[in-house]
Amino acid sequence: MNTNQLFNMFGRMLTRHLMNWGTNKAIDRMSKSGGKTPAQSAQNAKAMRQNSKRMRQAIDMIRRMSR
């Protein structure tokens, strides 16, 4: 086994390990709610629904004005 093969082998091992580590970190972070309580999540969801409702209303008003 020459040095080029050794470097390639260790490089692949390191890359595989780092990719698995990063993937697991991302999955763990996405699966957690970010330390927020369910009440905070509910408040955020309500605020997002209100914002989307306001945006739809604004789009409808603009559409009516352009006629």
Side-chain angles (χ1 to χ4, degrees):
M1 194 176 258
N2 60 25
T3 56
N4 191 28
Q5 288 175 325
L6 284 173
F7 282 126
N8 285 338
M9 181 179 65
F10 287 125
R12 282 192 305 269
M13 287 171 52
L14 179 66
T15 303
R16 187 179 312 123
H17 177 74
L18 290 174
M19 288 295 289
N20 285 335
W21 178 80
T23 304
N24 289 335
K25 282 288 202 180
I27 290 171
D28 289 343
R29 179 167 290 193
M30 289 173 61
S31 68
K32 293 180 183 175
S33 64
K36 297 178 182 176
T37 62
Q40 289 173 336
S41 296
Q43 288 173 352
N44 288 342
K46 184 178 180 181
M48 290 296 290
R49 283 193 302 271
Q50 289 175 346
N51 288 338
S52 63
K53 181 181 176 182
R54 287 187 191 116
M55 288 301 295
R56 283 194 303 271
Q57 288 174 346
I59 291 169
D60 287 341
M61 284 177 40
I62 292 170
R63 190 178 299 132
R64 285 186 205 127
M65 290 171 57
S66 66
R67 289 183 186 172

